[in-house]
Amino acid sequence: MMRIIIFVFTNFAVMLFIGLFLSISGVYPHHVMGMMISACLIGFGGSFFSLIFSQWIALRSVNGRIIEVPNNATESWLINTIKNQVDQIGIVMPKVAIYPAYNINAFATGAKKNESLIAVSSGLLQYMTHDEVEAVLAHELAHIYNGDMVTMTLIQGVLNTFVIFISNALAIVITKILSNMLIPNEDSKNPKHIRTSATIHTTISTALSTMLGACASMITMWFSRKREFYADAGAARIVGINKMIAALERLKTSYEPQEPKNIITLCINGKNNALCELFMSHPSIEKRIDALRGKYIY
């Protein structure tokens, strides 16, 4: 709860400072507060909606099935293994689901630490040993224990808000400057020139949103990569370093992740970005193993 309060307070404080600066400087004195509120509602709204309905969205995205009552020995073992681990780290038992996929993968999600979901692929149960599965489950429980889902949502909400607000604010300032240069003062109320100003604003706002959005994405992905290292370390404390390294080694043999884009950042096994590591949600398997062995500082 304190994490939420700090993030939200920081976001509004910085937004208020920018808004006051724009108002006092006279650069954009009108409707600053309205623009701030709109940016916050849009920026945080989508992120919190996704978090609140994350379990419902995730299960339908991967066609997952929650294990209400174990149907076989594998499902019983899976439930009992998670129960033993949650007792060890002191959190409430999450819902457990299985979804059909050839690749080896698993993810955790949920709006609250004590109301979470862990889902594993059928491929994980088929191709991993019990020790390796234990390590993967511990990795996902570490995400839950660390509150990574909430933190990611808050970071995304803050960044979305800044992208919306700053791109619009800068677009207004730049449009005003260009309009004064291109349009004579006496023609400023001409419908044709009003349409021209609107076109300039839309073009600049779109370009700025794209550029700032790319920067925001790099920040989000940087944190996502960090949390994978922390979750690996947390899993190693629960089941041991050797089991966690063995699980990561096994991930190298997996098929390419099949999970949709809105789920893949939650998974233990993410997709590589061939263009740039800055946009990768997960570090490479090699770096994760080196970090566990103390050979890589993250």
Side-chain angles (χ1 to χ4, degrees):
M1 188 63 186
M2 182 57 65
R3 185 184 327 198
I4 296 175
I5 293 172
I6 292 172
F7 265 86
V8 173
F9 176 78
T10 302
N11 183 58
F12 276 106
V14 176
M15 291 281 289
L16 185 61
F17 173 79
I18 296 172
L20 288 173
F21 172 77
L22 290 174
S23 296
I24 294 170
S25 65
V27 173
Y28 184 62
H30 306 296
H31 312 303
V32 170
M33 189 57 67
M35 191 166 68
M36 288 170 57
I37 293 171
S38 297
C40 289
L41 288 175
I42 296 170
F44 275 104
S47 296
F48 276 108
F49 178 87
S50 297
L51 179 65
I52 292 168
F53 294 99
S54 60
Q55 294 186 31
W56 184 86
I57 293 170
L59 285 173
R60 277 149 187 79
S61 296
V62 298
N63 195 26
R65 171 182 62 86
I66 292 178
I67 302 174
E68 303 288 355
V69 178
N71 292 325
N72 50 53
T74 298
E75 292 184 3
S76 295
W77 176 85
L78 185 64
I79 295 294
N80 289 332
T81 300
I82 295 175
K83 281 182 178 177
N84 290 335
Q85 291 185 358
V86 298
D87 288 343
Q88 186 176 340
I89 62 177
I91 61 173
V92 173
M93 179 73 182
K95 297 175 185 175
V96 182
I98 298 175
Y99 63 93
Y102 291 114
N103 61 295
I104 300 171
N105 228 331
F107 64 85
T109 189
K112 296 180 181 178
K113 184 183 295 187
N114 291 327
E115 293 179 14
S116 54
L117 166 77
I118 288 180
V120 300
S121 69
S122 55
L124 176 141
L125 296 173
Q126 181 177 354
Y127 298 116
M128 277 190 154
T129 66
H130 278 190
D131 283 353
E132 291 164 355
V133 175
E134 285 179 21
V136 171
L137 296 175
H139 172 98
E140 299 307 330
L141 286 173
H143 277 310
I144 294 171
Y145 182 82
N146 294 336
D148 286 337
M149 287 75 75
V150 174
T151 305
M152 284 292 291
T153 298
L154 289 169
I155 289 174
Q156 191 64 63
V158 168
L159 292 172
N160 288 345
T161 301
F162 273 96
V163 168
I164 294 168
F165 181 77
I166 293 175
S167 60
N168 274 289
L170 288 175
I172 289 167
V173 173
I174 295 171
T175 300
K176 187 175 181 180
I177 293 171
L178 290 177
S179 295
N180 289 339
M181 292 171 58
L182 300 174
I183 302 171
N185 223 20
E186 59 272 13
D187 293 337
S188 60
K189 294 184 179 180
N190 186 306
K192 180 181 177 181
H193 292 315
I194 291 174
R195 288 194 297 271
T196 300
S197 294
T199 302
I200 293 172
H201 176 270
T202 302
T203 303
I204 293 171
S205 178
T206 302
L208 288 171
S209 294
T210 302
M211 289 187 292
L212 292 173
C215 294
S217 179
M218 285 191 284
I219 295 171
T220 304
M221 292 302 100
W222 173 83
F223 180 80
S224 180
R225 292 192 297 275
K226 282 281 187 182
R227 75 191 183 104
E228 291 303 319
F229 287 123
Y230 289 127
D232 287 344
R237 286 192 291 271
I238 297 170
V239 300
I241 289 177
N242 291 336
K243 286 186 180 181
M244 190 62 229
I245 290 176
L248 291 171
E249 291 283 6
R250 182 72 65 181
L251 289 181
K252 293 180 182 180
T253 69
S254 174
Y255 293 98
E256 184 73 13
Q258 308 288 309
E259 290 75 11
K261 187 177 179 180
N262 64 313
I263 300 298
I264 199 65
T265 55
L266 303 173
C267 293
I268 187 172
N269 191 16
K271 294 179 181 178
N272 290 326
N273 189 313
L275 296 176
C276 184
E277 186 179 2
L278 292 174
F279 293 99
M280 287 171 55
S281 61
H282 291 60
S284 67
I285 299 293
E286 289 75 16
K287 284 184 178 179
R288 293 168 69 177
I289 292 174
D290 284 345
L292 287 170
R293 289 173 172 161
K295 297 179 180 179
Y296 179 78
I297 306 298
Y298 53 90

